[in-house]
Amino acid sequence: MAEISTLGEFGLIRRLTKDIELKNTETLKGVGDDCAVLNFGSKEHDVLVTTDLLMEGVHFDLTYMPLKHLGYKAAQVNFSDVYAMGGTPKQITVSLALGRRFTVEGMDEFYEGLRLACDAHGVDIVGGDTTSSRTGLAISITCIGMVEKGKAILRSGAHPTDLICVSGDLGAAYMGLQLLEREKQVYYQQLEEARRKDPKATLDFQPDFAGREYLLERQMRPEARKDIVEKLRSAGIRPTSMMDVSDGLSSELLHICHESGVGCRVYEERIPLDYQTAVMAEELNMNVTTCALNGGEDYELLFTVPLTDHEKIEQLEGIRLIGHVTEPSLGAALITRDGQEFQLQAQGWQAFS
Amino acid sequence: MAEISTLGEFGLIRRLTKDIELKNTETLKGVGDDCAVLNFGSKEHDVLVTTDLLMEGVHFDLTYMPLKHLGYKAAQVNFSDVYAMGGTPKQITVSLALGRRFTVEGMDEFYEGLRLACDAHGVDIVGGDTTSSRTGLAISITCIGMVEKGKAILRSGAHPTDLICVSGDLGAAYMGLQLLEREKQVYYQQLEEARRKDPKATLDFQPDFAGREYLLERQMRPEARKDIVEKLRSAGIRPTSMMDVSDGLSSELLHICHESGVGCRVYEERIPLDYQTAVMAEELNMNVTTCALNGGEDYELLFTVPLTDHEKIEQLEGIRLIGHVTEPSLGAALITRDGQEFQLQAQGWQAFS
């Protein structure tokens, strides 16, 4: 019997879904992109569907993640998948499995965060399921969106010579997570020491987040990039392929290369980094490029545009050109600051590692 | 701080969603029915969305539920919600959180059951999410369906004098669960006894299911009632309200009464029961009517039709007329075999009890 970890998340999904044939004319695109694309007879809009399942202890840690932030983030990460198709999120369903220690007030907080996110993006909460859990919290959100008919931006449309662009900056959410984990360790160490002297000791602990607010915000309060989709639209730029950066830039670039049947060259020096990300990486003795490539949870948009859009893209604030699409034979390469070439590897967040 | 159990599942959902205002013209019906009803510009069809979250140890027990059956059932219970709106299921997304002891082969089995159900109902698997779980298995399925524009059958359309009908028979799935639980207890008792003599003893245990196959099938292999929806359509009967019986007849009748602002009278002697259900209830010293009213997981259709459809309904096989809709002031009443009147109570499956 093979263990799941031998395949990894993407390997497992591929195995389970590889020979699925689509039966319905209402299904335009099934498994394999940020959203499925459906149409039920509308001449104006296609329907987008995406879903996420978040498990306590795997995707979030309630010791430092307030429920309000968790609700906010759980909604945003689903909106991000809809924007990654060039669409607009319209509805979500929210299913929760609650452990015994959850209180009604806790759930009110979760919903407060959820609603904040929904209000900001014009999304309706239209249904869901609430049940109990023998163990931790499980959150499943499905987001329904819409996109102009036939205009969903897939991962499969990149062509050689296209420019590769990314919004915002990368690696900060991962650094935020490292910071939270470090302070959690410090807290438990101090608590243990205090309890060695007095077994009933409590701790008035103040985590040290000074000057790191941006990293925390990126980890705890991500914002789906609706603004980027709108900016591209008003600039008359239509990406040839797009996806959101949830598992890490490396992993996402490989998805686009695989789905489009192309290669890519991206330049280390062009990967957008925030100052706090760089400082934190140095402090933790980590390579900041590795964090940006493999950290994940950035929820930025990665997309390709035709070479002819070069000037238009350069004029847009908050978008960085990081490389270009190549023939598939060249593979997916990272060119380092000193001119060396490495093949990209999907070391991103591995759900089964 | 209030514990979740003080509110119950429906109380919690009501609290969390009570003041949600719908913002989008694309949202026709939000929380409060078997499915949400959406429209993205189609003049022919509205879109239906329903979702379910199933947790190991709460909704299923892998000691007696084979993964193939679990996949089959998880899909069917979602299809059932779409049929309950008079619609046709078209797509599902499937999210799984897997504990460490899950094998690739186990997941193949789950997907085999899932595909069997999807093939039987013409449904495409269009996406999902696969991740790990620190504990047990979590399954989240979202089903997308379609229904003729403006023709979704809500819970809110029942009128006084309408007839109340139910398909198939009730209580058998619950009896199947009792049977499985009983045999599980017998197994563990025998194992314990054997291990008192030899700590390494294993058990060649054959559960006693003879003559109870129907109960097991109802529990482990429910069939969403596509046939009933089709039968009603070809007979030219349009229910004024409809829902599926997942939590128990009592609970569902109360939902329809609440949403439609009506009362009801249902007759104990008319509640459809299978012979095996009655025998098993007697064996377990349980009241068979209570099982049928509160057992749940029947996945039959409960619906109301205008009084003028009386003759048409009587001619349809597999549909039982169990009572009628009344003015709200009369409440929701069960008339027992000996003519006594009881107010119905939602004692159905309580997720938080």
Side-chain angles (χ1 to χ4, degrees), chain B residues 64-77:
Chain B
Y64 48 69
M65 191 70 170
L67 283 165
K68 184 173 164 185
H69 281 77
L70 186 60
Y72 189 87
K73 182 170 174 175
Q76 292 280 358
V77 305

Side-chain angles (χ1 to χ4, degrees), chain B residues 250-270:
Chain B
S250 254
S251 167
E252 319 305 16
L253 280 167
L254 288 169
H255 278 303
I256 284 182
C257 287
H258 181 259
E259 293 293 322
S260 298
V262 297
C264 73
R265 284 174 84 85
V266 294
Y267 297 87
E268 184 184 14
E269 63 187 6
R270 306 217 44 117

Side-chain angles (χ1 to χ4, degrees), chain A residues 164-213:
Chain A
I164 302 173
C165 308
V166 71
S167 65
D169 60 77
L170 302 177
Y174 181 70
M175 284 293 107
L177 182 63
Q178 299 307 312
L179 178 62
L180 287 161
E181 286 287 342
R182 185 181 70 177
E183 294 302 304
K184 183 180 162 184
Q185 296 308 326
V186 172
Y187 169 79
Y188 281 119
Q189 276 165 17
Q190 292 188 6
L191 186 67
E192 209 185 306
E193 276 170 37
R195 292 212 168 148
R196 242 177 273 144
K197 296 170 195 159
D198 172 8
K200 286 181 178 169
T202 57
L203 206 60
D204 187 18
F205 180 74
Q206 284 298 334
D208 178 16
F209 296 143
R212 309 291 156 82
E213 293 78 7

Side-chain angles (χ1 to χ4, degrees), chain A residues 239-259:
Chain A
T240 50
S241 70
M242 185 151 69
M243 64 184 298
D244 74 334
V245 183
S246 53
D247 293 324
L249 180 64
S250 254
S251 166
E252 319 306 16
L253 280 168
L254 289 169
H255 279 304
I256 286 183
C257 287
H258 181 259
E259 293 293 322

Side-chain angles (χ1 to χ4, degrees), chain B residues 89-157:
Chain B
K90 285 288 171 179
Q91 293 94 8
I92 55 169
T93 64
V94 184
S95 294
L96 300 173
L98 310 174
R100 285 200 172 267
R101 69 202 149 86
F102 272 84
T103 59
V104 173
E105 289 77 8
M107 282 303 98
D108 284 345
E109 279 170 44
F110 180 86
Y111 257 76
E112 203 186 322
L114 207 57
R115 285 181 191 210
L116 259 180
C118 287
D119 287 344
H121 289 264
V123 170
D124 290 323
I125 300 172
V126 297
D129 193 13
T130 309
T131 185
S132 58
S133 161
R134 283 287 176 93
T135 51
L137 178 64
I139 305 166
S140 174
I141 294 190
T142 297
C143 184
I144 321 286
M146 63 187 214
V147 64
E148 206 184 323
K149 188 176 156 81
K151 295 290 170 68
I153 304 169
L154 304 179
R155 297 175 180 178
S156 55

